[in-house]
């Protein structure tokens, strides 16, 4: 390889981390802020890469940039390399400096409000050098193409190469308001749910509820009075006396203590669900590992 081509190769490798950051954010502006490089420099260096390679890496839009097919191919090949280098360097120097830098996470709003209150402020107080960037999202984000380090998800996760760290398994139970029980007898067996008492059903669940006690599971066909797609709405309807609803003890406990809810069939449970931290790679910088460890410790108190 002659000197000229070697210089071109060195230049491309110098600019690849900048390209990867711009691809993650879909924005030259956000990449410049994340890497503390002036925006004109970002634009100039990426344009220089495109000139050397002879192909467009991005399509420029008014408010954002989008990867071209050539840019997508380059990103898919080098994003892991950049992540591995970042993780290795941070791990190497983590013992001699305070962890710093961004942690970008996505979480379902219901999960945060019901189970994670205080996490952001608590972690920020403990690790002031780490900048949290959180976004509420009701869908699972694409950790390979979107600018997130981890996604906090519930329920069954699809088979993939993603790294999953389970934070907690929550097991809902049944609750009702004394207002409802003024008009309906308190169920004493699962079959009593199938009689005349109204129930609040999850939107995607069928009308045959599986209820379990130890190794015994029974399917009970309930009479849905309402259907909702999250436990927060279900709890609101239960408090209004609209029906028997699912909730987890962590959320229902304050209402039980105030006499606003009564456990129904307290020895029986309905299907549980996991809350997990999902990452694209097992090699993560220390700042992200610290945040995940903080989540694990937090959820150890949520049941």
């Amino acid at each position: 390889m002659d000197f000229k081509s070697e210089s071109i190769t060195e230049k491309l490798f110098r600019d690849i981390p900048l390209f990867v950051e711009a691809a993650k954010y879909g924005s030259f502006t956000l990449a410049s802020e994340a890497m503390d490089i002036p925006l004109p420099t970002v634009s100039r260096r990426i344009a220089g890469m495109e000139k050397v390679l002879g192909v467009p890496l991005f399509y420029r839009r008014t408010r954002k940039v989008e990867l071209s097919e050539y840019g997508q191919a380059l990103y898919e090949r080098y994003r892991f390399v950049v992540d591995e280098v970042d993780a290795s360097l941070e791990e190497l120097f983590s013992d001699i400096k305070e962890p710093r830098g961004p942690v970008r996470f996505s979480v379902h709003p219901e999960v945060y409000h019901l189970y994670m209150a205080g996490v952001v402020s608590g972690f920020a107080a403990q690790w002031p050098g780490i900048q949290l960037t959180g976004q509420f999202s009701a869908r699972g984000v694409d950790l390979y193409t979107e600018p997130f380090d981890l996604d906090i998800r519930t329920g069954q996760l699809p088979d993939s190469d993603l790294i999953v760290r389970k934070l907690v398994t929550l097991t809902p139970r049944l609750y009702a308001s004394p207002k409802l029980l003024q008009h309906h007898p308190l169920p004493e067996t699962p079959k009593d749910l199938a009689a005349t008492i109204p129930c609040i059903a999850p939107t995607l669940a069928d009308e045959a509820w599986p209820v379990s006690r130890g190794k015994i599971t029974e399917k009970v066909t309930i009479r849905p009075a309402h259907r909702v797609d999250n436990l927060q709405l279900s709890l609101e309807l239960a408090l209004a006396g609209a029906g028997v609803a699912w909730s987890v003890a962590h959320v229902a406990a304050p209402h039980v203590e105030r006499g606003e809810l009564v456990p129904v069939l307290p020895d029986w449970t309905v299907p549980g669900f996991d809350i997990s931290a999902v990452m694209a790679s097992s090699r993560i910088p220390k700042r992200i590992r610290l945040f995940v460890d903080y989540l694990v410790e937090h959820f150890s108190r949520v049941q």
Side-chain angles (χ1 to χ4, degrees):
M1 180 180 292
D2 61 26
F3 179 79
K4 182 177 180 181
S5 61
E6 184 178 13
S7 298
I8 291 173
T9 301
E10 289 176 349
K11 181 179 184 303
L12 285 174
F13 272 103
R14 183 196 68 182
D15 290 339
I16 278 176
L18 181 58
F19 160 77
V20 169
E21 201 71 12
K24 282 183 179 179
Y25 281 107
S27 167
F28 289 178
T29 300
L30 293 178
S32 73
E33 293 173 356
M35 301 193 73
D36 196 23
I37 297 175
L39 178 58
T41 302
V42 173
S43 299
R44 176 175 52 80
R45 286 171 58 178
I46 290 178
M49 291 181 67
E50 293 174 317
K51 183 176 180 181
V52 168
L53 294 170
V55 294
L57 298 177
F58 292 96
Y59 298 122
R60 277 72 167 171
R61 311 297 186 194
T62 303
R63 297 183 178 274
K64 64 177 181 177
V65 293
E66 296 179 1
L67 285 169
S68 69
E69 59 182 303
Y70 306 105
Q72 186 66 43
L74 189 67
Y75 177 62
E76 290 297 328
R77 175 159 297 189
Y78 282 102
R79 62 187 174 86
F80 294 112
V81 176
V82 173
D83 287 344
E84 288 289 322
V85 171
D86 286 345
S88 298
L89 289 174
E90 183 148 356
E91 184 176 340
L92 178 65
F93 292 105
S94 62
D95 293 333
I96 60 175
K97 68 183 183 71
E98 179 186 358
R100 308 187 68 83
V103 174
R104 302 163 294 193
F105 70 95
S106 172
V107 61
H108 194 293
E110 181 186 25
V111 170
Y112 191 87
H113 292 310
L114 288 182
Y115 313 115
M116 292 176 56
V119 163
V120 167
S121 57
F123 183 83
Q126 186 170 337
W127 300 101
I130 299 175
Q131 296 83 47
L132 294 175
T133 300
Q135 177 175 307
F136 286 149
S137 175
R139 62 175 178 85
V141 300
D142 188 336
L143 291 167
Y144 294 124
T145 61
E146 297 182 71
F148 294 97
D149 300 305
L150 71 153
D151 188 18
I152 301 165
R153 303 186 186 179
T154 62
Q156 187 69 31
L157 300 174
D159 292 334
S160 69
D161 294 330
L162 293 171
I163 305 303
V164 178
R165 186 167 180 185
K166 187 173 74 172
L167 301 174
V168 69
T169 297
L170 295 174
T171 305
R173 297 179 183 272
L174 300 173
Y175 296 88
S177 166
K179 300 175 186 177
L180 178 72
L181 300 177
Q182 290 176 358
H183 306 286
H184 301 274
L186 181 67
E188 297 182 358
T189 70
K191 292 181 180 179
D192 294 337
L193 290 173
T196 59
I197 193 164
C199 296
I200 313 301
T203 303
L204 298 180
D206 59 31
E207 295 180 6
W209 278 3
V211 293
S212 301
R213 183 177 61 184
K215 296 181 179 181
I216 301 173
T217 298
E218 296 185 17
K219 279 200 169 184
V220 181
T221 301
I222 54 93
R223 183 169 62 91
H226 303 279
R227 288 187 177 275
V228 293
D229 67 353
N230 65 67
L231 293 182
Q232 201 165 13
L233 290 175
S234 181
L235 186 67
E236 180 179 333
L237 287 166
L239 289 168
V244 176
W246 300 16
S247 187
V248 296
H250 167 77
V251 176
H255 301 288
V256 173
E257 292 174 3
R258 292 194 293 266
E260 299 167 346
L261 288 177
V262 173
V264 174
L265 303 176
D267 295 332
W268 296 78
T269 62
V270 290
F273 60 94
D274 293 340
I275 299 178
S276 304
V278 184
M279 294 153 284
S281 172
S282 60
R283 293 294 302 273
I284 57 175
K286 184 177 181 180
R287 64 183 184 273
I288 299 173
R289 187 169 66 252
L290 287 171
F291 184 62
V292 174
D293 289 344
Y294 191 90
L295 290 174
V296 170
E297 196 277 330
H298 169 81
F299 275 102
S300 70
R301 303 187 298 271
V302 176
Q303 294 296 335

